[in-house]
Amino acid sequence: MLRSYAAAGLLVPTAVDESSGYRYYSPGQLLQARIVALLRQAQIGIDEIAGFFDNPDAFQLDRWDRQIVSESTARRQALAQARAALAIGRAAPPTQSENSRKGSAVTHTFVTGTATHIGGRDSNQDAWLVSDGLFAVADGLGGLQDGEVASRLTLDTFDAAFTADRTVSGLLGACREANRAVWRQANGQDATMGSTLAVLAMTSDAAAIVLHVGDSRLYRLRNGRLEQLTHDHTVIADLMRAGELSESDAQTHPYRNVLTRAIGVAPEVDIDHSGASCEPGDRFVLCSDGLFKVLSTDELKVMLASEVEPQRSADQLVANAVKREAEDNVTAVIIDVH
Ligand code: MG
């Protein structure tokens, strides 16, 4: 191994004993040896590493980072295409016993249902996540494949980072991490790809937190009352909050689809988060705009209240949206609290 490194100009021994062939290395080469080992672990080629030591800089590390993300994304896309070709959906969400999570004070058990549909689009750029005490929907923005990559990358990065640090600050850090991952994937070009993100998370220090960027939503059904716990980051929502636009005018406003915030469209992201009261009997719904743009809040409430089983409820919501000829992708994640 060391001989092949030396052949590439890496870790050249300071001296070689001619009779025994023993190779001597200086103490200063230990750091280089450690860096070479780490870069090899990242599967960087020996020749590339040798070139890197001629002029080590952050740009090359960033290039490798992007390459790794893009290779992994390409592998995930191929896997997703294989899944689609086999017509095999995702495995069932974690069962009741697997998905209990202690917040700061109480232990909740969650039973979930998930459904998504391509709607009238050519690809489904929505993605959902049901993980350990972590539930999310992301709606990708960008060209045909870019949106799919952005929403999946957002959720995968978010999930991994939050799993490593389940505090509220870890949750915000996970969102920033997801933002950086998509921004890097877009090669730092403004707004070529992005994603919304709406999350309900059980943190270790403050129980349930709702976090969102963009116009995917979280609702809570409690005692027959449906409450929207997020406010859309869109031009029309801002105008309506300011009292400058009526709900009926908003339907035809030229900027009705324009987001004011999204994951991955700039190096930094503004995040909204707050505590969410979460009690046994509550039903939470995370959804993409494809759902609430064709079903009114009243219709949502009636449908959510009429079906007890969360998977059937998610299926029903999405099927009803599709029946209305939803132009957009439609996704719903139902979380029942026990
Ligand atoms: Mg959408």
Side-chain angles (χ1 to χ4, degrees), residues 173-231:
C175 189
R176 286 191 284 269
E177 189 73 28
N179 185 71
R180 276 193 294 273
V182 177
W183 175 248
R184 275 201 302 265
Q185 181 70 20
N187 294 317
Q189 287 166 3
D190 284 345
T192 52
M193 65 163 71
S195 180
T196 69
L197 176 65
V199 175
L200 177 67
M202 302 303 127
T203 61
S204 56
D205 53 351
I209 297 286
V210 49
L211 172 152
H212 81 291
V213 175
D215 68 348
S216 295
R217 289 182 181 173
L218 175 70
Y219 295 91
R220 180 183 56 216
L221 182 71
R222 176 181 285 175
N223 300 327
R225 184 167 164 259
L226 188 67
E227 191 181 353
Q228 186 182 327
L229 302 183
T230 51
H231 60 264

Side-chain angles (χ1 to χ4, degrees), residues 121 126 139-141 196 215-216 288-291 293 328-330:
R121 291 273 164 89
D126 284 357
D139 177 350
L141 324 160
T196 69
D215 68 348
S216 295
S288 59
D289 63 335
L291 187 85
K293 280 188 177 151
D328 200 358
N329 309 143
V330 188

